[in-house]
mmCIF file of all heavy atoms in Angstrom:
data_model
loop_
_atom_site.group_PDB
_atom_site.id
_atom_site.type_symbol
_atom_site.label_atom_id
_atom_site.label_comp_id
_atom_site.label_asym_id
_atom_site.label_seq_id
_atom_site.Cartn_x
_atom_site.Cartn_y
_atom_site.Cartn_z
ATOM 1 N N LYS A 944 1.274 6.210 -10.686
ATOM 2 C CA LYS A 944 0.471 4.986 -10.487
ATOM 3 C C LYS A 944 0.267 4.703 -8.985
ATOM 4 O O LYS A 944 -0.841 4.453 -8.545
ATOM 5 C CB LYS A 944 1.161 3.771 -11.147
ATOM 6 C CG LYS A 944 1.359 3.925 -12.645
ATOM 7 C CD LYS A 944 2.102 2.761 -13.235
ATOM 8 C CE LYS A 944 3.563 2.645 -12.805
ATOM 9 N NZ LYS A 944 4.424 3.741 -13.272
ATOM 10 N N THR A 945 1.366 4.759 -8.247
ATOM 11 C CA THR A 945 1.277 4.455 -6.818
ATOM 12 C C THR A 945 0.455 5.508 -6.084
ATOM 13 O O THR A 945 -0.449 5.171 -5.310
ATOM 14 C CB THR A 945 2.697 4.386 -6.206
ATOM 15 O OG1 THR A 945 3.417 3.366 -6.885
ATOM 16 C CG2 THR A 945 2.663 4.079 -4.725
ATOM 17 N N ASP A 1024 1.817 -3.436 -5.600
ATOM 18 C CA ASP A 1024 2.576 -2.373 -6.267
ATOM 19 C C ASP A 1024 3.897 -2.962 -6.776
ATOM 20 O O ASP A 1024 4.478 -3.820 -6.118
ATOM 21 C CB ASP A 1024 2.834 -1.228 -5.272
ATOM 22 C CG ASP A 1024 3.193 0.062 -5.976
ATOM 23 O OD1 ASP A 1024 3.068 0.126 -7.216
ATOM 24 O OD2 ASP A 1024 3.606 1.023 -5.291
ATOM 25 N N GLU A 1025 4.340 -2.491 -7.932
ATOM 26 C CA GLU A 1025 5.580 -2.992 -8.554
ATOM 27 C C GLU A 1025 5.494 -4.506 -8.791
ATOM 28 O O GLU A 1025 6.480 -5.220 -8.610
ATOM 29 C CB GLU A 1025 6.806 -2.698 -7.657
ATOM 30 C CG GLU A 1025 6.802 -1.338 -7.028
ATOM 31 C CD GLU A 1025 7.782 -0.379 -7.676
ATOM 32 O OE1 GLU A 1025 8.343 -0.712 -8.736
ATOM 33 O OE2 GLU A 1025 7.953 0.717 -7.130
HETATM 34 MG MG1 LIG B 2364 4.990 3.196 -8.117
#
Side-chain angles (χ1 to χ4, degrees):
K944 300 177 292 294
T945 300
D1024 199 10
E1025 318 255 10

